[in-house]
Amino acid sequence: MRMWSLAVVVAGVLGCAAPPRPPRPRASPPATPAPGPPGAPAPAPASAPSPPAARDLASVQWGEHSYQIDGQRYQLRRGSWEMHEYMEEWGGAHDTEVYRFESVTSGDLDGDGGAEAVVLLWHMYWGPGSAQQESLYLVTFGWKDGAPVQLDVTGAGNVRINAVEIGTGGELRVVHERAVPPFMTSRWRWEAGKLTPQL
């Protein structure tokens, strides 16, 4: 019997590496408008409204933004990107992968007087017969030529994060949950164009 797979990408409300072969999302067909009176011109197909153009990093709608992670681009819609991959030999069971926007923190990381934005993304992957895997990403953006530009992406482990803060001198502090004593803080600095953990 020939094996087949069907991938469906759903962006909904539902972040250590992306799967080796994430399928490409399939475009949804445009909505069909209702017919009007005889002889009337056909209405244009309905389309989802685009978010307003950002004027600076503070006005970017990060839950509707795209992110480059491990060579793949993920476009969030309403705060998340979701994929289910169905395979015949699994009898209806399927892979599930989710990226979800968690928070954004702004501050001067590189000391140039301008602000950068650090977006926290939560990632989950689950496949039949395996345990659910969670991970977190810190994605850094700058502002260039009137648009946000991704500067770096780095994994931040798999312990849920309670807060991301940018302190004096550009130090990034990541406060993790479920650590003893009650929180664990990891520290990062902007070095050679990327976030670098401080030991």
Side-chain angles (χ1 to χ4, degrees):
M1 176 185 298
R2 187 176 63 175
M3 299 191 310
W4 56 270
S5 66
L6 169 63
V8 180
V9 175
V10 181
V13 187
L14 263 185
C16 143
R21 57 179 199 290
R24 295 178 180 272
R26 293 187 177 182
S28 301
T32 303
S47 60
S50 299
R55 304 175 306 278
D56 49 28
L57 288 175
S59 61
V60 176
Q61 296 191 27
W62 298 107
E64 303 290 328
H65 202 68
S66 63
Y67 300 85
Q68 186 87 11
I69 301 173
D70 294 332
Q72 300 291 330
R73 185 166 293 278
Y74 300 91
Q75 173 66 57
L76 272 59
R77 298 293 185 198
R78 295 185 294 277
S80 71
W81 177 96
E82 183 175 349
M83 179 275 291
H84 299 273
E85 183 177 16
Y86 294 82
M87 300 188 73
E88 182 180 3
E89 70 272 20
W90 290 344
H94 55 88
D95 284 356
T96 298
E97 185 177 19
V98 179
Y99 282 92
R100 186 176 68 205
F101 167 74
E102 293 282 288
S103 66
V104 60
T105 304
S106 297
D108 186 4
L109 288 173
D110 57 12
D112 67 352
E116 285 74 43
V118 180
V119 177
L120 173 62
L121 295 179
W122 173 80
H123 173 249
M124 183 275 287
Y125 174 80
W126 175 85
S130 65
Q132 176 175 307
Q133 303 171 34
E134 295 187 25
S135 53
L136 295 147
Y137 287 96
L138 299 169
V139 191
T140 307
F141 287 85
W143 186 261
K144 183 178 181 181
D145 298 329
V149 177
Q150 183 171 322
L151 304 175
D152 180 47
V153 57
T154 184
N158 59 4
V159 178
R160 294 302 302 270
I161 290 175
N162 184 60
V164 179
E165 306 163 343
I166 299 178
T168 305
E171 181 182 70
L172 183 76
R173 295 187 296 269
V174 177
V175 184
H176 301 263
E177 295 181 347
R178 302 198 305 270
V180 177
F183 299 110
M184 173 186 71
T185 300
S186 57
R187 302 176 187 276
W188 309 68
R189 283 198 176 275
W190 190 255
E191 297 178 357
K194 63 181 181 179
L195 280 176
T196 304
Q198 303 299 294
L199 302 178

